[in-house]
Amino acid sequence: MTEPLQFNLQEDDLPTAWYNLLPDLPFAPLPPLHPGTKQPIGPADLAPLFPESLIMQEVSTERWIDIPGPVLDIYRLWRPSPLYRARRLEQALQTPAHIYFKYEGTSPAGSHKPNTAVAQAYYNKEAGIRRLTTETGAGQWGSALSMACQFFGLDCLVFMVRASFEQKPYRRIFIETMGAEVRPSPSPTTGAGKRILDETPDSTGSLGIAISEAVEVAATNEDTSYSLGSVLNHVLLHQTVVGLEAKKQMEMAGEQPDFVIGCVGGGSNYAGLSYPFMADKVAGTLDARFIATEPAACPTLTRGEYAYDFGDTGEMTPLVPMYTLGHTFVPAPVHAGGLRYHGDAPSLSALVKHGLMEARAYTQNQAFEAGVQFARTQGIIPGPEPTHAIRAAIDEAIVAREAGEKKVILIGLSGHGHFDMGAYDDYLHGRLPEVEYREEDVVAGLAHLPGVPIPD
Amino acid sequence: MTEPLQFNLQEDDLPTAWYNLLPDLPFAPLPPLHPGTKQPIGPADLAPLFPESLIMQEVSTERWIDIPGPVLDIYRLWRPSPLYRARRLEQALQTPAHIYFKYEGTSPAGSHKPNTAVAQAYYNKEAGIRRLTTETGAGQWGSALSMACQFFGLDCLVFMVRASFEQKPYRRIFIETMGAEVRPSPSPTTGAGKRILDETPDSTGSLGIAISEAVEVAATNEDTSYSLGSVLNHVLLHQTVVGLEAKKQMEMAGEQPDFVIGCVGGGSNYAGLSYPFMADKVAGTLDARFIATEPAACPTLTRGEYAYDFGDTGEMTPLVPMYTLGHTFVPAPVHAGGLRYHGDAPSLSALVKHGLMEARAYTQNQAFEAGVQFARTQGIIPGPEPTHAIRAAIDEAIVAREAGEKKVILIGLSGHGHFDMGAYDDYLHGRLPEVEYREEDVVAGLAHLPGVPIPD
């Protein structure tokens, strides 16, 4: 038999608990603050938006949290997800490195997003909630949440960034096929949306604006909760099913990663893959480098400030301790829509701050060059977001070749690019700009921080 | 443990030989005829188009044909494909039936098509061919062949039906991302294309026209072969990897199908799934019904004539014994582009003629209604083609419910619908017509048959 390429788990191997990194962090996590009082918020402050079960997960210090049976029953529609060795990519690079990728593109919605969408829909249903609202940029999160709501019999209202609504009708149709309602954001149906439209009638929207709209609808309707696709602790928690599977699969492969690489928008994809491995690094049993990749157009980890900031443009959320470009920063309309967020998850930000993770930013041309090489060797066309992770992996594989060292590289391939082919068209025809953010925009964004520094 | 939903094989379980049904048929297969002499063609007649190895497979009477190692190595990038039990669909239908589906949408190109594309590219590379030409309608076949050519270092030229080229840019970009050249058909670069454009300058093309163009380029260029994505014996042969896996997986599930259901355009998808099961039916060890489904807009099996006909519009191919609507028949532009072919594979046609298979035709509204129900219960959005098979499966599951009988239903889910979301948009917004073909078009098509009946 030739070298194995696949490391498949059976449905019985599905993790039955999510892993919470917070109690294992070598530093104390910082609390979110109330924007008025600047005091730590309590569970009651979140009650208008989320059911109690999710709020308890948000602040939990338990290491393991059981996955409810009905959530597992949905996970079993596609999980465990595959882990592959990218042997053909290795050969093309003539590298002694072993490259593995954990592939979340086999989920029905085509990305890792359903892992938390299903859990959130379940807990809201249990709490008697009738409807969920959310925002979506590229559309992956809206696809996932609409599917999860359909499975649990919840209504679903998705505010879709207008630029995506118009340019990506396929994602809009996906969400509608799953039975949800989609409104382009900014919309005239919320106060937040109206204010933006009054100032900028032709606004193409942003993730921050869409969040404000969805939060407003949830806060003002008793039967409606808000659902967020990244950043929050409980979202990252649900995604750890990815990394827990990947750990078992790397054991099947008989290898330990020297590099764990993923792309970061809000951070849930990369946290989901990396936190179960990070536990071993913190415990001293794994000597690996963790590389968080991001777009040069939205360089939160590499160019942002580590400070308290709002999660949304409309200043409706608590203040969150994170790397941020400022909540007014609007990144250039790069194709990796899922990475166009002005901040990052607090725990992931803290890991970078404390040197346990590295961060790298790439331009679209750098990322898509890697994506096309991956597609032409492995067949899979990656989403624009994970092409950033592939770029870093290829770079490290080349370093390994130059050094003549066998390194083991694990990539989080968070989703396929089937709904993003326009991005590949632009890349193949040289239509992507090389310079993607203006220094003055970053300076302006940082100038709008609410002025609550994080103490050293 | 709850009831299992997944029946996963490991890469070591991949079939190592394709299954050839021809020697097991209870009737003699009919030869293709030379259109001039009306005499059976020989291997030499096919030599300008195909390498010898594939011609030998086309006429082979061997029951098993080994899968070459390099082909298996590519298959292992995604195969074995999953077989699932559609428990949530069963529950929604409140049926005692057990519904299984074999899912080919996890292939990089999103359908079953790579199973033969990879084999064809391999044999052509071995024969010293430098380039492959082909046609594509909906784009699935072009995606698969461009990927396979990239893997084996072959150039690839795809004639894409102009209507699809313009309406489905994402498939065109997929093919280009894999490194192939795409030309809208009819094109001015071939004699066949020029003739059509002279008569009909605004022709939106058809599969039959695109075949003529691709065949012409192959026939007139020494270093170029033609590659067909369905209909031919060797194509069906390569697809049997699907059914061979499904048989093992149904054994894992401990059940035998009462129904084996698939959609039929040229026939390779359904043959691939069903022929390994048909072997058991012919041998008397399986008592199952085989249902071939097709669009009402192109009702070859349910409304066509069983006769010799050309495989292409330009009358360049041999005469093939099959159910046909006439090689001049142009079906309405239904979304199931992969089912818009005027004929069917000879072996599959003969199975229908001899009563071993049944055929059913559905309108788009009937098919998409089933597709949406499947999507909302199982999460997966099916391609427009396999929604026809899902329609038949749901109908049989309802019959089983009414009769209070437990039936086992196996569906071939040949691919996902990620590149066909416009079809779902049209369905959800009531834009699909109910009546999809005109009787007079069928009469006209049949009047153009070359007049070579098949003897009883």
Side-chain angles (χ1 to χ4, degrees):
Chain A
M1 182 61 195
T2 44
E3 282 179 305
L5 301 181
Q6 305 178 6
F7 305 92
N8 297 325
L9 300 171
Q10 300 295 329
E11 57 186 316
D12 289 2
D13 301 320
L14 252 175
T16 56
W18 294 298
Y19 169 66
N20 183 12
L21 178 64
L22 267 58
D24 290 328
L25 284 176
F27 44 80
L30 299 161
L33 303 181
H34 190 284
T37 66
K38 310 283 194 294
Q39 293 304 304
I41 60 164
D45 294 299
L46 297 172
L49 297 184
F50 303 109
E52 192 189 349
S53 46
L54 288 175
I55 295 172
M56 289 301 108
Q57 288 185 0
E58 187 62 23
V59 298
S60 174
T61 54
E62 295 295 316
R63 185 169 286 119
W64 295 99
I65 295 177
D66 283 346
I67 305 176
V71 173
L72 281 174
D73 276 346
I74 303 290
Y75 280 177
R76 292 196 297 134
L77 294 179
W78 72 90
R79 302 205 72 85
S81 71
L83 183 128
Y84 291 104
R85 179 148 169 220
R87 197 75 188 83
R88 291 177 53 85
L89 176 61
E90 292 170 17
Q91 283 160 349
L93 296 171
Q94 297 186 284
T95 178
H98 290 192
I99 304 175
Y100 294 86
F101 63 97
K102 175 70 170 166
Y103 186 40
E104 291 292 305
T106 57
S107 89
S111 78
H112 63 293
K113 293 288 187 189
N115 298 327
T116 185
V118 169
Q120 293 189 47
Y122 167 78
Y123 287 114
N124 276 287
K125 179 75 178 183
E126 285 293 292
I129 290 294
R130 197 186 60 77
R131 180 174 70 158
L132 291 183
T133 62
T134 196
E135 71 291 334
T136 199
Q140 285 112 328
W141 172 240
S143 299
L145 193 68
S146 62
M147 180 183 83
C149 285
Q150 177 64 236
F151 287 165
F152 287 106
L154 294 169
D155 287 347
C156 184
L157 173 60
V158 179
F159 290 92
M160 187 168 192
V161 175
R162 185 177 294 274
S164 296
F165 183 89
E166 284 164 4
Q167 286 160 24
K168 295 193 169 189
Y170 273 26
R171 276 288 182 194
R172 190 254 307 156
I173 303 165
F174 188 112
I175 298 167
E176 290 176 347
T177 299
M178 289 299 167
E181 185 190 344
V182 186
R183 286 187 204 154
S185 167
S187 82
T189 55
T190 67
K194 269 194 219 108
R195 281 191 295 279
I196 301 282
L197 288 172
D198 284 347
E199 285 172 31
T200 322
D202 58 349
S203 166
T204 55
S206 75
L207 220 41
I209 296 168
I211 292 175
S212 296
E213 293 203 87
V215 165
E216 181 181 321
V217 171
T220 54
N221 287 277
E222 188 77 29
D223 65 351
T224 303
S225 276
Y226 171 65
S227 188
L228 188 65
S230 191
V231 179
L232 297 176
N233 290 335
H234 68 268
V235 180
L236 276 54
L237 173 77
H238 301 153
Q239 291 294 354
T240 58
V241 67
V242 176
L244 294 168
E245 288 177 9
K247 273 184 77 170
K248 287 192 200 180
Q249 291 166 309
M250 289 304 294
E251 279 167 29
M252 289 170 70
E255 305 216 79
Q256 282 215 331
D258 297 302
F259 292 92
V260 180
I261 303 176
C263 61
V264 174
S268 76
N269 158 62
Y270 186 48
L273 174 70
S274 67
Y275 281 11
F277 291 96
M278 183 58 76
D280 292 346
K281 180 175 172 118
V282 169
T285 57
L286 176 69
D287 180 23
R289 286 170 62 189
F290 289 71
I291 303 176
T293 62
E294 61 182 15
C298 192
T300 52
L301 294 169
T302 52
R303 187 64 192 79
E305 204 165 303
Y306 190 54
Y308 273 98
D309 194 10
F310 291 99
D312 70 324
T313 307
E315 306 191 347
M316 299 184 66
T317 71
L319 296 177
V320 181
M322 60 182 177
Y323 278 99
T324 175
L325 294 163
H327 60 284
T328 58
F329 181 83
V330 178
V334 291
H335 288 289
L339 307 184
R340 292 180 67 234
Y341 183 64
H342 68 273
D344 295 290
S347 59
L348 196 142
S349 294
L351 285 163
V352 172
K353 182 69 184 173
H354 287 82
L356 289 161
M357 278 185 180
E358 310 162 43
R360 294 185 195 168
Y362 298 106
T363 66
Q364 295 195 88
N365 283 303
Q366 291 171 324
F368 279 108
E369 182 194 27
V372 169
Q373 184 166 27
F374 189 87
R376 290 186 178 177
T377 49
Q378 298 294 132
I380 296 169
I381 295 187
E385 293 83 4
T387 61
H388 294 76
I390 295 168
R391 171 77 276 158
I394 289 176
D395 288 352
E396 289 302 334
I398 291 170
V399 169
R401 178 184 70 203
E402 303 305 317
E405 290 176 348
K406 185 203 135 184
K407 293 288 184 185
V408 177
I409 300 170
L410 173 61
I411 310 173
L413 190 54
S414 54
H416 60 62
H418 300 170
F419 295 96
D420 305 281
M421 296 307 298
Y424 282 88
D425 208 27
D426 285 347
Y427 169 71
L428 291 170
H429 294 92
R431 291 195 294 261
L432 297 177
E434 254 315 314
V435 180
E436 292 171 345
Y437 82 97
R438 299 185 311 170
E439 187 63 24
E440 56 263 44
D441 291 340
V442 171
V443 172
L446 295 178
H448 282 90
L449 288 177
V452 185
I454 297 174
D456 272 336
Chain B
M1 182 61 196
T2 45
E3 282 178 304
L5 301 180
Q6 305 177 5
F7 305 93
N8 296 325
L9 300 171
Q10 301 294 330
E11 57 187 316
D12 289 1
D13 301 321
L14 252 176
T16 55
W18 294 298
Y19 168 65
N20 183 12
L21 178 64
L22 267 56
D24 290 330
L25 284 176
F27 44 81
L30 299 161
L33 303 181
H34 190 284
T37 65
K38 311 285 195 295
Q39 293 303 304
I41 59 165
D45 294 300
L46 296 172
L49 295 184
F50 303 109
E52 191 188 351
S53 46
L54 288 175
I55 295 172
M56 290 300 109
Q57 288 185 1
E58 187 62 24
V59 298
S60 174
T61 54
E62 295 294 316
R63 184 169 288 119
W64 296 99
I65 294 176
D66 283 347
I67 305 175
V71 173
L72 281 173
D73 276 347
I74 303 290
Y75 280 178
R76 291 195 298 132
L77 294 180
W78 72 92
R79 304 204 71 85
S81 71
L83 183 129
Y84 291 104
R85 178 148 168 220
R87 196 76 187 84
R88 291 177 53 85
L89 177 60
E90 293 170 18
Q91 283 161 347
L93 296 170
Q94 297 186 285
T95 178
H98 290 193
I99 303 175
Y100 294 86
F101 63 97
K102 175 70 169 168
Y103 187 38
E104 291 292 307
T106 57
S107 89
S111 78
H112 63 294
K113 292 288 187 189
N115 298 326
T116 184
V118 169
Q120 292 189 46
Y122 166 78
Y123 287 114
N124 275 287
K125 179 75 177 182
E126 286 293 292
I129 290 294
R130 197 186 59 77
R131 180 174 70 157
L132 291 183
T133 62
T134 196
E135 72 290 336
T136 199
Q140 286 112 329
W141 172 240
S143 300
L145 194 69
S146 61
M147 180 183 83
C149 285
Q150 177 63 236
F151 287 165
F152 287 106
L154 293 168
D155 287 347
C156 184
L157 173 60
V158 178
F159 289 93
M160 187 169 191
V161 176
R162 184 177 295 272
S164 297
F165 183 89
E166 284 164 4
Q167 286 161 24
K168 295 193 168 189
Y170 273 26
R171 275 290 183 193
R172 190 254 308 155
I173 302 164
F174 189 112
I175 298 168
E176 290 176 348
T177 300
M178 289 299 166
E181 184 191 344
V182 186
R183 287 187 203 154
S185 166
S187 81
T189 55
T190 67
K194 269 195 220 110
R195 280 191 295 278
I196 301 282
L197 287 173
D198 284 349
E199 285 171 33
T200 322
D202 58 349
S203 167
T204 55
S206 74
L207 220 42
I209 295 168
I211 292 175
S212 297
E213 293 203 86
V215 165
E216 180 182 322
V217 171
T220 54
N221 287 277
E222 188 77 29
D223 65 351
T224 303
S225 276
Y226 171 65
S227 188
L228 188 66
S230 191
V231 180
L232 297 176
N233 291 334
H234 69 269
V235 179
L236 276 54
L237 173 77
H238 301 152
Q239 292 294 354
T240 58
V241 67
V242 176
L244 293 169
E245 288 177 9
K247 274 183 76 169
K248 286 192 201 180
Q249 290 166 310
M250 290 303 294
E251 279 167 29
M252 288 171 71
E255 305 217 77
Q256 282 216 328
D258 296 303
F259 293 92
V260 180
I261 303 176
C263 61
V264 174
S268 76
N269 159 61
Y270 186 48
L273 174 70
S274 67
Y275 281 10
F277 291 96
M278 182 59 76
D280 292 346
K281 180 176 172 119
V282 169
T285 56
L286 176 68
D287 180 24
R289 286 170 62 188
F290 290 71
I291 303 176
T293 61
E294 60 182 14
C298 193
T300 51
L301 294 169
T302 52
R303 187 64 192 79
E305 203 165 303
Y306 190 54
Y308 274 99
D309 194 9
F310 290 100
D312 70 324
T313 306
E315 306 191 347
M316 298 184 68
T317 71
L319 295 177
V320 181
M322 61 181 176
Y323 278 99
T324 175
L325 295 162
H327 60 284
T328 58
F329 181 83
V330 178
V334 291
H335 288 289
L339 308 184
R340 292 179 67 234
Y341 183 63
H342 68 272
D344 294 291
S347 58
L348 195 141
S349 294
L351 286 163
V352 172
K353 180 70 184 173
H354 286 83
L356 289 161
M357 279 184 179
E358 309 162 43
R360 293 184 195 168
Y362 297 106
T363 67
Q364 294 195 89
N365 283 304
Q366 292 171 324
F368 279 108
E369 183 195 27
V372 169
Q373 184 165 26
F374 190 87
R376 290 185 179 178
T377 49
Q378 297 296 133
I380 296 169
I381 296 187
E385 294 83 4
T387 62
H388 294 76
I390 295 168
R391 172 77 276 160
I394 289 176
D395 289 352
E396 289 301 334
I398 291 171
V399 169
R401 180 184 69 203
E402 303 304 319
E405 290 176 348
K406 184 203 136 185
K407 293 289 184 184
V408 178
I409 300 170
L410 172 61
I411 309 172
L413 189 55
S414 53
H416 60 60
H418 300 168
F419 295 97
D420 305 280
M421 295 308 297
Y424 282 88
D425 207 27
D426 285 347
Y427 169 71
L428 290 171
H429 294 91
R431 290 195 295 261
L432 297 177
E434 255 315 314
V435 179
E436 292 171 344
Y437 82 98
R438 299 187 309 169
E439 187 62 25
E440 56 263 43
D441 290 341
V442 171
V443 171
L446 295 178
H448 281 89
L449 288 178
V452 186
I454 297 173
D456 271 337

